[in-house]
Amino acid sequence: MSEHTRPVGDFARLDVDRVRRRGYPEAIFCEGKTVSQVAAIAGALNDDYPTLFTRISQEQAEAVLGVLPDALYDEVARMVVWPPAEPEVSGVSVLVVCAGSSDLPVAREAMLTARYLGRSVELLVDVGVAGIHRLLEHEQKLHDAGVIIVAAGMDGALPSVVGGLVSAPVVAVPTSVGYGAGAGGVAPLLTMLNSCAPGVGVVNIDNGYGAGHLAAQIAAR
Amino acid sequence: MSEHTRPVGDFARLDVDRVRRRGYPEAIFCEGKTVSQVAAIAGALNDDYPTLFTRISQEQAEAVLGVLPDALYDEVARMVVWPPAEPEVSGVSVLVVCAGSSDLPVAREAMLTARYLGRSVELLVDVGVAGIHRLLEHEQKLHDAGVIIVAAGMDGALPSVVGGLVSAPVVAVPTSVGYGAGAGGVAPLLTMLNSCAPGVGVVNIDNGYGAGHLAAQIAAR
Amino acid sequence: MSEHTRPVGDFARLDVDRVRRRGYPEAIFCEGKTVSQVAAIAGALNDDYPTLFTRISQEQAEAVLGVLPDALYDEVARMVVWPPAEPEVSGVSVLVVCAGSSDLPVAREAMLTARYLGRSVELLVDVGVAGIHRLLEHEQKLHDAGVIIVAAGMDGALPSVVGGLVSAPVVAVPTSVGYGAGAGGVAPLLTMLNSCAPGVGVVNIDNGYGAGHLAAQIAAR
Amino acid sequence: MSEHTRPVGDFARLDVDRVRRRGYPEAIFCEGKTVSQVAAIAGALNDDYPTLFTRISQEQAEAVLGVLPDALYDEVARMVVWPPAEPEVSGVSVLVVCAGSSDLPVAREAMLTARYLGRSVELLVDVGVAGIHRLLEHEQKLHDAGVIIVAAGMDGALPSVVGGLVSAPVVAVPTSVGYGAGAGGVAPLLTMLNSCAPGVGVVNIDNGYGAGHLAAQIAAR
Amino acid sequence: MSEHTRPVGDFARLDVDRVRRRGYPEAIFCEGKTVSQVAAIAGALNDDYPTLFTRISQEQAEAVLGVLPDALYDEVARMVVWPPAEPEVSGVSVLVVCAGSSDLPVAREAMLTARYLGRSVELLVDVGVAGIHRLLEHEQKLHDAGVIIVAAGMDGALPSVVGGLVSAPVVAVPTSVGYGAGAGGVAPLLTMLNSCAPGVGVVNIDNGYGAGHLAAQIAAR
Amino acid sequence: MSEHTRPVGDFARLDVDRVRRRGYPEAIFCEGKTVSQVAAIAGALNDDYPTLFTRISQEQAEAVLGVLPDALYDEVARMVVWPPAEPEVSGVSVLVVCAGSSDLPVAREAMLTARYLGRSVELLVDVGVAGIHRLLEHEQKLHDAGVIIVAAGMDGALPSVVGGLVSAPVVAVPTSVGYGAGAGGVAPLLTMLNSCAPGVGVVNIDNGYGAGHLAAQIAAR
Amino acid sequence: MSEHTRPVGDFARLDVDRVRRRGYPEAIFCEGKTVSQVAAIAGALNDDYPTLFTRISQEQAEAVLGVLPDALYDEVARMVVWPPAEPEVSGVSVLVVCAGSSDLPVAREAMLTARYLGRSVELLVDVGVAGIHRLLEHEQKLHDAGVIIVAAGMDGALPSVVGGLVSAPVVAVPTSVGYGAGAGGVAPLLTMLNSCAPGVGVVNIDNGYGAGHLAAQIAAR
Amino acid sequence: MSEHTRPVGDFARLDVDRVRRRGYPEAIFCEGKTVSQVAAIAGALNDDYPTLFTRISQEQAEAVLGVLPDALYDEVARMVVWPPAEPEVSGVSVLVVCAGSSDLPVAREAMLTARYLGRSVELLVDVGVAGIHRLLEHEQKLHDAGVIIVAAGMDGALPSVVGGLVSAPVVAVPTSVGYGAGAGGVAPLLTMLNSCAPGVGVVNIDNGYGAGHLAAQIAAR
C-alpha cells in the first residue's frame, strides 16, 4: 500500500497526499457514484482531512450525514462540507457576482468552495447587463475585491463588462441557464472565452466548485 | 415572358415586380456570380430601377462601373449603388453602433443600405463593452434614435447592453471578427440570440445589408 | 438602497426603473426559479407595476395566483399576466402567423406579449409552405399588417416566403418542433438567419416572448 | 487479375463490371487525384465504357482532353464526359429547378449527369421563394415533370414549396451558397431534411452528380 | 371559407385539396399536438379522406380509435391508418431493408406508409454489414425490387453496399439507434449523405413516414 | 433457410457463422430491443453458442435469466454472459486502467468482455492524472501488460500519459462522465483521438464491450 | 470630446482612461485592421502610453516601426511593444510551460505580455505528457512559480497534470496545433475546460495575450 | 542537462530515452515547425537514433536532405525516414486496405511507418464498398493478415465490412476525402466509431502515422 493514497473498497483511492503536495484537499465529485460509494468515502475520512462533496444529491447527502452527522449540507449549492467549521481566513477577498437569480446555485457553490478553502467571500446578485445601472451602483465594491467570480447564463455578457472595470482577475463561470441556440451554457461559455476585456479566466459550464477553487488559489497570499 | 420578372441571359430573372409588391427593390448578391454575370445584370438595369450590388469584389465592381460609370462604389462596404443619388429621406432615424474598428465594413454596409432605402443614418464607432463608459457618454444619442443597429464581433455583448438602455428596437448583426472558440461569428451570434434584454432582432453573421434593410423597414413611417 | 432597483429576498433585484428608462416593464423568466422565489416576486409587485411571468409551470402559476388572484393565466402560452386588464391599444397592428398547430404555444406567447404591451394583435394558424395556397389566400391580411411575427418549426421556410410578399418587417421565431437532424429548433433557426428575403429579424428558438416584445417595439408609434 | 475490375497503375481499380451489375457506369471523382492519375484513368477507357469525370479542375480536364480529344468538357459543371454523344433518351422527363444564379454549377452538374445517363432534362433558373410568383408562373411545368431536382443554397426553402405542389418525387440538393450561420450548405441541408412536404430525398451538399444520378434512376422506365 | 382547406377548431386547417393537387393525402404528425386536438382532427375526417396519423402516442391512438373505431393501429410503427382497408396496389414493388432489430419501428413505419399509399411492399430484417453474407444471400431479391428503402442506425453503412449492388433507386433512412459519438442518428445520417455509391436519396433521421412516402412516389407508374 | 444465419421470430437473424468466420461469437446489444425480443433470442441459443448480452436493463436481464437460469449477470457492467463458465485463458494479458470511480461500469464491461473471450485481465482503478503519482506507482504493472485498456471521462488525458510510458498498444475508451462543454464523452473522445503519444486506438464513448473485444483480439496469440 | 477616450480618424477611439481605471493599458488587436489604420493608431500614441500591438502582420509591423522606430518587434509572437524598455518588475513570478515546439508562438506572446505588464517570466519548452519524465524533472521549478501559464495543442492534457502538482493557479491556453477531429484548438480547449485537476482557468484558443495578461493580474502584489 | 532528453536550440527537447522506455523512437511532426527548426533537429540526430519526419513539406524535406543526404523521402506520404535502410522484419504481417485512390497518401504514410518500425506490410487499393465484390475477391488475403489497417474517406463504411470478415484487429483511419456534410473526415470518423462490427480501433483523421504505429505495436511478437 502506498503512502500517498488511501484505498476505499475496490473502487476508489483517496489522494491523501494532495494537501501536502498542492496545499488544498481533494474534493469528491458525487455524480456517477452510487449512494453506498459516497457513504464509504465519507467513512474513510477523519477529522484532519477536510473534504468537499460536490454535486451531491439529496439521497447521497443523507447517506453522508448518516456517517458524519455534524457535516454542513447546503442544498442549493448541492454540497456537503466536512468538517463544518469555517477555516481561518487568509489572502485577499473574493467577490462573487451573479447575473440572475437562476444562476444562484452555481454562484453559491463557488462561494462556499472559496470560503472553505480559507478565503473571505461576499455575494452580489441579480446585476445582469440588461440593467447596467444595477451593476454600476456597485462599482466601488468591484474595485475593492481581490478576485471576482462572475456567474452568468443566457448571453454571458457580464464578465466582459466587469473585466473592463477592474484590475483584479476575473474568474468567469458560465451557467446552463438559458434555452434555444447555444443552450446548456454553450452560449455564455463562448461569450466568456471571447471576452473583449482581458483578465478573464474561464472554467467549465456550471463549475462553481472550479471557479471557487481557482479564485481561492489566486487570492492566496 | 412574365410581367413580373425580367430575364438576364439564361442565368437570372430579375424580380422587377418587387418594388410594387414589397416597396423595396431587389439587391444583387455578387458572391458566387461570375464577373460577366454581374456585368450583364448591370446592363439590364435602367434608371428607374434602383439597385444595390452587395459583397462585390474589386473586379466585379470595375465591371459594373464599366457599364454604369456614375454608380457609387464603396470599397469598405463592398457595395455598388445605382443610381448614386441618395433618395429623399423619410421615416425615423437609424443609428448604427459599431463595437470595434474591425466591425466597420459590416457597419458601413448596414449604413449605406438604410441610407439608400431612404432613411437618415448616423454611425457611432468603437464603443465596445470593455470600456462601458465610452458607450454611456452617448446615452442621449441612443435614446434619440428610432432604430438602432448594433454590429459586434468577439463576445457580441453590446446589443444586450444597448437593448437594456432604450425603447427603440435593436437590430443586432454579429460579425466574423474574432478567433478560436466560436470563431467566424458563431460566438457573437449566440450571444445576441440569448440577449437578456428584449427588443433585439438578429440577422445573419456579417449581414450588414440585411441589418440595414430591416432597420429601414422598421423606420419607415 | 437604490432608487432604481427593488430587492426581493436575497436572490433578486427588480429593475423597477425599466419602464421609465425603456418604456416597457421587466418580465419574470420563471424557468430555473423555485416556486417560492416566483411567489415572493409576485408579492413584491403592486398595481402600477405591470408584469409578465413567462415560461411559468403549472405549480409556479398556482403560487402566483395565490398572491395575485385576479392575474390572467394562459396555460398554453405558459404565461401569467398582471394586472389582467389589457392596456389601451396604440401603434400599428401586429399579425402573428403560425406554420403548424404544434407551433401554437410559441405563437400564443408572442401574441399575448404584444397585446399586453399595448398592441392590436391577430393570429393566423396552420398556413405552412407545404400547401402554399393556404398562405396566399391571406395575402391581403399580410399586406395590411404593420409588423408580422412568423412562428415555424421543421424547415422554418415560412418567413422567407412571407418576407418576400410584404413591405412590413418580419420577426421570425423558430420553434423546437421537429426531430432528427437540426432538432430542437436548430434547423428553422438557420433557415431564418439565411432567409433569401430581406427584412427578417430573428429571435431565439421558442422565444415567443422576445418576438412579441420586439414586434411591440417596432409597432409603437 | 479479376474479370470484374481493371487496374490502372498501382493506384486504381476500375469497377468495369458496374454497368452489367447496376446498369450505370462508374464515375471518376477527380478531387484528391493527381493530374497524372486522372490522365492514366482516361487512357484506360475505351469507346464502349461511358464515363463521367466529376469535380474536374481546369488542369485535370486538359490532361483528359489530351488523351480523349473528342470528350465533352463543361467548365461550369466541372465535368468531362466520354464519349461526347448524348445517349438515346428513355424514361420520364427530369426537371432541374435552380433557386439562384449562384446555384447554377450544381444544377448544371445534375442536368448533365441525368442527360448522359439517358434522360430528357430541362432547366429552370432563378425561381427562389423570396419572389414566390416567379415559381408559380411555372406550375404547369412542375406538374408535367416525371422527377424534379431542386438545387438551392441560403435558406434552402424551395424543395418544401415545390414538394407541396406536385406528385412527382423531388431530389433536393443543397448548395454551399451562403455565409454566416450554417454556411457551407449546412443550413439548406437541414432545411431540406426537415421539409414539411413529403416526397423529398436529399443528397449531399453540392452533390449535383448524385442528384442527377438518383433522378436518372427514378426516371428510368 | 376556402374550398382548399377545412378548419378544425381554431388550431388547424386540413389541406383537403392535397389529394387533387399532389395525388396523396396529408398525414397528421401527432407529436406536439394535444390528445384533444388529435381527436378533433379525427372527427373532421370522412370516409373518402384517407389519412395516416404518424408518431402517435398510445393515449392519442386511443382517442382516435374512440372516434374512428375501425381504424388500424400499429403500435410498433406508432401509426393509426384510416380507413383500414389497404388500397389497390399499383406501381412497382418496394423492398424495405432493415439493418438491425432495433431499427424495426422506423422500417415498419416506412412499410405501412408505402403500403397504404398503394404499393406492394416486402420487409427484410437483420442484414447489417457486419455479416455481409446475410445480405448477399438476398441479392436476387434486391435486384427484383423497384425501389429499396434501407433503414440503419450505428454506422449506417448498409445503403452504400446496397446502392452498389442494384440499379433501383435507394431511399436511405438513418435511425437514432446508437450511442456516443454521432448519437441520435447523426452518424448514420452523415454516412448516408456521403455514400460512395450513387443513387441514394436520404430522408431525416427516424423519418420512416418520409421514406415510405418518397418510395411510393418513386414506385408510382 | 441459410446455413449461416438462424432466424429468431420475424425480427432477428443470428449470425451463427461468426465464430467460424471471425473466431468470436456475436453479442446481443439489448438497448432498443423489447424484453420479449431479448428473451426470444436467449431461447434460441444453445450450449455451444457462447453469447454476451450487453447494455442489458434489469428487466431484460431477468427475462434472460428466466430462460437461462445459470447465466452470469453483472449489474454494474450491465451484462449477461452465457454460458457462465470462464473460457480457458490464452494469449497475453490485458490490463484495464480506470481513471475514476465513475468510469467503473465501462471499465468493468471491458474487463468481462475480454475475460469471456479468453484473456487474462486485471483492473486498476482511480489513477487519474490529477494525482500522477498514483499512476507512476504502478509503472511496472503497466510495462508487464500485453495490452492496456484505458477508460476515462472528464479531460480524458490518461491514455496519452499511459501511451507515453509503455510499448504495448493502448485501447482508449472515453466515458460519458463529465458535464458542461464537451459533455457526454465528447471531450475525452477528442482528447484521445489527439493523443500526443502514438499507439492509442480509440473506440466509441462508453463502448466498454468494443474496448474489451478489440483488446482480446490484439492479445490473441 | 471625452476625457476618457482619444479618437483616431473616424474609425477608432482609444480607451486612454484604462490605465487609471484598470491599471493596465489597452492593447491593439491588429487582425481585421488595415495597415493604415494600425499606423494611424501608432501615430496617436505618446511616450507615457504603453501599448502592445498583438497579432500584427509583417506589413503592419513595418508600418508601426515607420512611426515608432524604436518599438520592439517580435516576429514569432507577432507583437510590437511600445515603448521597448521593459517596465520595472513587481509581483510574484510567472512560469510559461509550453507542450511542444509548435506551441511556441502562443507561449511567447504570453511571455512578452506578462513581462511588459511588469512581471518576471520564465519559459519552459517541449515538456508534453507523452514523455512525462521531461516534465517531472522540473517539478521544483513548477512549485516555485507564483502563476503558471500552460500552452498546449493536440490533446491539451498538460494543464491537468501540472494543475495536479502545484498550489499556484494555472492559466491554460489551448493552441490550434493539431488536425482532424477537434482541430483548430477545439480538442485542447475542451480538455482544459474538463481538467480533472482544479485551479485551471482557461482563455480562448491561441490567446497568448489573454493568458499573459490574466497571469500578470494574478501575479500582481 | 538531463540524461533522458537532448535539447535542440531553445525550442525542442528530443525524448531520446523513448526507445529504451517504449521500444519505439520519437517521430518529428513537422507541421507548425519552421524550416530551420526541422533542419536543426535533423542535425541533432546520429546514426543510431532512427527517426520519422511526418507531415513534412517539400521545403522542409529539402532542408533535412541537406543535412542527411541519404535519408529516404516519400513525397506522397509526406515523410522523411532516417536512416533509410529498412529494419529487420519481426512480428506478424500488416495489411493496409485503402478504399479509394484519394486515400493513398494516408495509406502510404501508414505503410511506411509500420515498415520502418520493423513489420512486413502489404497494400491493397481501391476496394471500396460501392463495389463490394472488389473486396471479397481478396477475402483470403484479409484472413491471412495479422493486423489490418483500413483507410477510408467519404462514408467510411469499409472498416465495418472488413471487421465483420476477419479475426485480426482492425485499425481504422478516417481520411479527409469528401465534401459537404461531415466534410474534413468527420463523417468517416463517426462511421468508424459506430462500426457495427467489433474489433475496430480508430485513430485521428488522416493520421496514417498513428495507424501505422499502432499496427506495428499490435503486430509485435
Side-chain angles (χ1 to χ4, degrees), chain H residues 35-203:
Chain H
V35 169
S36 61
Q37 286 176 335
V38 173
I41 291 171
L45 304 177
N46 48 34
D47 282 18
D48 56 354
Y49 192 75
T51 299
L52 304 177
F53 293 82
T54 64
R55 300 216 164 204
I56 199 162
S57 68
Q58 181 77 32
E59 195 185 356
Q60 290 170 325
E62 281 161 13
V64 172
L65 291 171
V67 178
L68 304 167
D70 296 333
L72 175 97
Y73 173 37
D74 188 294
E75 199 172 340
V76 173
R78 290 184 298 163
M79 291 179 83
V80 166
V81 185
W82 171 256
E86 295 186 15
E88 205 175 329
V89 167
S90 66
V92 294
S93 67
V94 175
L95 177 66
V96 181
V97 178
C98 179
S101 338
S102 305
D103 305 313
L104 257 179
V106 174
R108 203 164 165 81
E109 186 187 22
M111 181 185 73
L112 286 176
T113 300
R115 181 171 291 158
Y116 276 90
L117 295 178
R119 302 297 166 261
S120 162
V121 191
E122 189 179 356
L123 178 65
L124 190 59
V125 292
D126 213 1
V127 292
V129 301
I132 196 77
H133 299 288
R134 289 183 293 189
L135 178 71
L136 297 180
E137 283 172 20
H138 298 284
E139 203 165 346
Q140 189 55 49
K141 195 170 280 186
L142 296 169
H143 282 300
D144 292 347
V147 189
I148 301 176
I149 295 171
V150 182
M154 306 282 288
D155 55 25
L158 193 54
S160 293
V161 175
V162 171
L165 291 171
V166 300
S167 61
V170 171
V171 175
V173 52
T175 73
S176 55
V177 172
Y179 60 91
V186 170
L189 171 66
L190 292 179
T191 308
M192 292 171 184
L193 287 169
N194 285 282
S195 168
C196 57
V200 177
V202 184
V203 298

Side-chain angles (χ1 to χ4, degrees), chain C residues 129-130 132-133 136 139 154-155 157 160-161 164-165 179 181-182 186-187 190-191 193-197, chain D residues 129-130 132-133 136 139 154-155 157 160-161 164-165 179 181-182 186-187 190-191 193-197:
Chain C
V129 301
I132 194 78
H133 299 287
L136 298 180
E139 203 165 347
M154 305 284 288
D155 54 25
S160 294
V161 175
L165 292 171
Y179 60 90
V186 170
L190 293 179
T191 308
L193 287 169
N194 286 281
S195 169
C196 57
Chain D
V129 301
I132 195 77
H133 299 288
L136 297 180
E139 203 165 348
M154 305 283 288
D155 55 24
S160 294
V161 175
L165 292 171
Y179 60 90
V186 170
L190 293 179
T191 308
L193 288 169
N194 286 281
S195 170
C196 57

Side-chain angles (χ1 to χ4, degrees), chain A residues 129-130 132-133 136 139 154-155 157 160-161 164-165 179 181-182 186-187 190-191 193-197, chain B residues 129-130 132-133 136 139 154-155 157 160-161 164-165 179 181-182 186-187 190-191 193-197:
Chain A
V129 300
I132 195 77
H133 299 288
L136 297 179
E139 203 165 346
M154 305 284 287
D155 56 24
S160 293
V161 175
L165 292 171
Y179 60 90
V186 170
L190 293 179
T191 308
L193 287 169
N194 286 282
S195 169
C196 57
Chain B
V129 302
I132 196 76
H133 299 288
L136 297 179
E139 204 166 346
M154 304 284 288
D155 56 24
S160 294
V161 175
L165 292 171
Y179 61 89
V186 170
L190 293 179
T191 308
L193 287 169
N194 287 281
S195 168
C196 57

